[in-house]
Amino acid sequence: MARKFFVGGNWKMNGDFASVDGIVAFLNQSADNSNVDVVVAPPAPYLAYAKANLKAGVLVAAQNCYKTAKGAFTGEISPAMIKDLGLEWVILGHSERRHVFGESDALIAEKTVHALESGIKVIFCIGEKLEEREAGHTKDVNFRQLQAIVDKGVSWENIVIAYEPVWAIGTGKTASPEQAQEVHEWIRAFLKEKVSPAVADATRIIYGGSVTADNAAELGKKPDIDGFLVGGASLKPDFVKIINARS
């Protein structure tokens, strides 16, 4: 089946009102592309502002959320709050959450289940570190991270998988189109075996890791790469070229 191209922009911990206005301006001025789902993830203080100012064709996601609806969890936000802002998406399992903040596969799975049950769609991130790839453990690491949500029996229609090799995030190193396609193919085969052929065929698997306007078109030609999760490049006008990489 044809999977709709998906391009996410993860702003990470960057921005102020002035720079958000600049990003909003180039996104709002870009030509509408009905063949692409575009979702950007500002830092939490700017979620409502971005939502209020971006055109209808650009959706807004939170960068993280917790596994319960409310409570004594200082510094956290819940899917219920994200939904209350009129947003539909959250990023979970990003490598910076896993490796900087020490989030476990189990915690990320719990957060994913709660987000989905709360009506929030999930960009679920997986990926191996450089030493894991060099040791030949790429498949093992990505499958382990996926298995955590397979074991929860999640509903897959509201999940986009983002494969982001940690060694390629913000480093300027990018997996070659062939390297990325190989892992995406493994992920789709994993879904086919562990979930169902229908889910494997329908689930969008996007690539992240130093995606730029220069390499997006080649990456986007691969049959199992269904879009991108873009970091630093999503803060710049060239992000529009990435959105249109398949056009």
Side-chain angles (χ1 to χ4, degrees):
M1 65 174 291
R3 294 178 294 269
K4 190 174 183 181
F5 210 63
F6 185 106
V7 177
N10 179 11
W11 299 1
K12 306 193 180 185
M13 196 175 73
N14 294 296
D16 51 27
F17 281 116
S19 61
V20 171
D21 282 342
I23 297 168
V24 166
F26 72 67
L27 286 171
N28 284 352
Q29 290 162 14
S30 66
D32 290 333
N33 189 336
S34 60
N35 297 318
V36 185
D37 284 334
V38 181
V39 180
V40 295
Y46 303 105
L47 287 170
Y49 185 77
K51 169 76 163 65
N53 287 281
L54 282 164
K55 64 182 180 181
V58 181
L59 300 183
V60 176
Q63 294 180 16
N64 187 35
C65 65
Y66 198 51
K67 63 179 182 179
T68 57
K70 59 182 179 178
F73 304 105
T74 301
E76 293 290 340
I77 64 173
S78 71
M81 295 171 183
I82 296 168
K83 195 170 185 180
D84 198 36
L85 290 176
L87 310 183
E88 299 176 28
W89 287 93
V90 68
I91 299 171
L92 291 174
H94 193 279
S95 66
E96 287 147 12
R97 301 304 313 175
R98 293 179 187 271
H99 302 304
V100 178
F101 297 98
E103 293 189 4
S104 67
D105 294 344
L107 174 60
I108 294 162
E110 289 178 311
K111 297 198 318 185
T112 300
V113 168
H114 181 63
L116 293 169
E117 289 176 344
S118 303
I120 298 296
K121 301 171 186 175
V122 175
I123 301 168
F124 183 81
C125 301
I126 60 174
E128 79 283 357
K129 294 188 282 189
L130 181 60
E131 58 266 32
E132 292 166 334
R133 171 169 278 271
E134 290 178 341
H137 296 154
T138 297
K139 192 180 284 191
D140 297 338
V141 170
N142 286 284
F143 287 5
R144 186 199 77 225
Q145 292 170 351
L146 279 171
Q147 190 66 49
I149 59 169
V150 171
D151 289 344
K152 292 286 187 182
V154 295
S155 180
W156 288 87
E157 62 264 24
N158 290 321
I159 297 175
V160 168
I161 297 170
Y163 167 60
E164 296 198 296
V166 182
W167 49 271
I169 298 174
T171 62
K173 297 179 180 177
T174 309
S176 69
E178 292 71 28
Q179 285 175 314
Q181 166 60 23
E182 178 181 49
V183 180
H184 283 230
E185 198 172 350
W186 289 344
I187 293 166
R188 209 171 297 286
F190 175 89
L191 292 176
K192 184 176 181 179
E193 178 188 347
K194 301 292 185 178
V195 187
S196 74
V199 164
D201 193 38
T203 300
R204 290 177 288 186
I205 307 169
I206 63 177
Y207 172 76
S210 298
V211 176
T212 68
D214 293 328
N215 61 29
E218 284 304 309
L219 286 161
K221 289 177 183 175
K222 294 298 181 183
D224 289 299
I225 296 179
D226 302 313
F228 308 110
L229 184 57
V230 184
S234 68
L235 305 173
K236 302 168 186 173
D238 267 1
F239 182 55
V240 175
K241 295 180 183 176
I242 300 172
I243 291 170
N244 295 318
R246 267 205 187 158
S247 298

